[in-house]
Amino acid sequence: MTYRSPLLARHGAVEASGPDAGVAWHYGDPTAEQRALERGGAVADLSHTGVVRVAGPDRLSWLHSITSQDLLGLPPRTSTELLVLDPHGHVEHAAGVVDDGEATWLVTEAEHAPTLAAWLDRMKFMLRVEITDATVDWAVLGEPVDAEGAEGEPVTWRDPWPTTAPGGTRYGPADDEHPGSERDWRLVLVPRADLVREVEVREAAGWRLVGTWATEASRVAAWRPRLATEVDDRTIPHELDWLRTAVHLHKGCYRGQETVARVHNLGRPPRRLAFLHLDGSGHTVPEAGAQVRPGGPEADPQARPVGRVTSVVRHHELGPVALAVLKRSAPPDELIVDGLADGDPAGGVVAAGQEEIVPGDGVSVDRPEARGPLTRGLGGGSAGVGSPGFGGALGSGA
């Protein structure tokens, strides 16, 4: 079900599309909205976001046992995030997590909330937990604020990205060198009936209402993966540098844990996330889903694709930028991107410079040293997951 925000009735509001349908893409001046968000004086209507509530005395130990995150003893009003993986380690769900002392709140994509709640309900067995898809009752506001919710305040999830959590690891740059370190972000849950009033309170304090163009530009510039855009049915968390914040490597077993440990300790993720600076000199901006190909002065627009664009946005300072999921073997330098997602030659191609997020060598910063010869295909070179010893369970390319 798509929730249409009453704030779409605001003068100048233009509705977003795709996973953000139901809220405003912008309110008439996307550049000014991005600048307001960057300054910290803004609020975003994200009332299309999914909310799942888990109550009961067994909630944290139970969620700990079936997801990627260590939730034992999670203090109230302390934010983290988790992944639900399939048996082969592919990402099925992702959610921000915060507990208010009485219930655990999971914030996720709207289209995933019903299926996440249904899966959790199937997994509860005889445990004392109660799962509710609370999206119909609760709306979400986004704020560029670096603070957890305090006692007596609304339930608030503070985005931990990109700080490497205890038990996590990273493939990309150090936390303080990461572009996302400058992005403050949190999601505040308010009763859906109070959405307009809560926005007006913030506007009265001088904050500007902004759309998803601004929030997505901030997210993409921070290299922050999103379930609705960067994840497909073959994604493993290593490919998106998601072991930083969403995976605890030293907790007990959970579904998909074997793959997580195996790729971290011995293998290499088949694909890697990259940040693209797109040529903005023409009128063509690629669409999400567009194919990415090797670039350079003699680039062949018909060359075999090495990946796909997952998110595209015009940033008020960086210009057109994108996130892309590429084969691990994709060249680390210049690329070209199809002008249209379906590869229609009429769309032309767009040149793209690349910043590696997950490096091509596919080795995290704390990968254990090998204690002797490794299985053929795992000790250097371009072979990795999908090589002998892994049964090809994870595939080998984009």
Side-chain angles (χ1 to χ4, degrees):
M1 159 175 199
T2 298
Y3 293 88
R4 284 189 57 80
S5 171
L7 293 166
L8 284 172
R10 287 286 187 95
H11 177 72
V14 176
E15 185 174 357
S17 59
D20 291 325
V23 297
W25 185 35
H26 64 84
Y27 295 91
D29 193 344
T31 297
E33 292 172 29
Q34 288 187 50
R35 289 173 176 160
L37 189 68
E38 191 173 85
R39 290 194 303 268
V43 58
D45 170 18
L46 303 178
S47 57
H48 63 314
T49 303
V51 179
V52 175
R53 184 178 187 269
V54 183
D58 295 332
R59 64 188 184 277
L60 287 175
S61 59
W62 173 65
L63 288 169
H64 171 91
S65 70
I66 60 175
T67 70
S68 66
Q69 190 55 269
D70 183 354
L71 300 175
L72 291 179
L74 181 70
R77 294 173 293 281
T78 300
S79 301
T80 184
E81 66 176 327
L82 60 76
L83 303 175
V84 173
L85 308 178
D86 74 7
H88 298 294
H90 303 123
V91 177
E92 289 190 337
H93 297 284
V97 184
V98 65
D99 194 275
D100 64 5
E102 297 181 356
T104 302
W105 298 80
L106 307 179
V107 185
T108 187
E109 303 286 350
E111 67 174 349
H112 281 258
T115 53
L116 175 58
W119 181 80
L120 291 172
D121 196 61
R122 292 195 302 270
M123 297 296 293
K124 68 181 182 181
F125 303 112
M126 300 297 291
L127 295 174
R128 296 170 298 171
V129 292
E130 181 181 345
I131 300 99
T132 306
D133 180 355
T135 309
V136 68
D137 297 317
W138 293 90
V140 174
L141 296 176
E143 300 177 343
V145 176
D146 183 22
E148 300 278 11
E151 186 173 358
E153 293 182 343
V155 173
T156 299
W157 177 74
R158 173 189 168 274
D159 190 353
W161 184 266
T163 302
T164 306
T169 190
R170 61 180 175 83
Y171 286 84
D175 296 353
D176 58 356
E177 298 174 357
H178 196 286
S181 64
E182 300 179 359
R183 173 179 175 261
D184 299 332
W185 190 241
R186 70 179 190 177
L187 301 178
V188 180
L189 276 61
V190 300
R192 190 167 289 277
D194 296 341
L195 172 65
V196 173
R197 182 177 64 82
E198 291 286 348
V199 169
E200 290 174 345
V201 167
R202 288 160 173 79
E203 289 179 308
W207 288 20
R208 181 171 189 144
L209 178 61
V210 306
T212 59
W213 185 333
T215 61
E216 282 294 276
S218 175
R219 178 187 69 83
V220 170
W223 303 355
R224 215 296 182 215
R226 179 180 174 183
L227 177 63
T229 50
E230 276 62 60
V231 174
D232 60 25
D233 60 3
R234 293 185 293 126
T235 300
I236 60 173
H238 317 64
E239 297 174 336
L240 307 181
D241 204 17
W242 228 340
L243 270 62
R244 284 180 177 270
T245 54
V247 177
H248 195 289
L249 293 168
H250 309 298
K251 55 168 282 187
C253 293
Y254 56 92
R255 192 172 70 165
Q257 183 267 343
E258 181 182 359
T259 294
V260 169
R262 191 170 58 197
V263 174
H264 171 246
N265 293 326
L266 296 174
R268 291 174 170 81
R271 302 180 296 179
R272 59 182 181 83
L273 188 65
F275 180 69
L276 305 184
H277 295 269
L278 302 171
D279 180 7
S281 61
H283 298 291
T284 300
V285 175
E287 301 173 352
Q291 300 287 346
V292 181
R293 307 173 195 273
E298 300 180 359
D300 178 3
Q302 301 301 316
R304 178 173 296 181
V306 295
R308 65 181 180 89
V309 167
T310 55
S311 299
V312 184
V313 69
R314 286 188 182 273
H315 190 277
H316 73 105
E317 289 183 338
L318 301 175
V321 292
L323 294 175
V325 174
L326 309 175
K327 292 181 179 179
R328 186 180 66 245
S329 59
D333 43 25
E334 294 177 273
L335 300 166
I336 57 173
V337 181
D338 292 349
L340 297 175
D342 60 6
D344 185 343
V349 295
V350 176
Q354 177 188 173
E355 291 186 59
E356 289 186 317
I357 298 175
V358 174
D361 63 13
V363 176
S364 68
V365 296
D366 64 349
R367 178 178 177 144
E369 292 292 333
R371 298 182 179 178
L374 298 178
T375 302
R376 181 170 62 86
L378 300 183
S382 60
V385 177
S387 302
F390 287 89
L394 300 179
S396 59

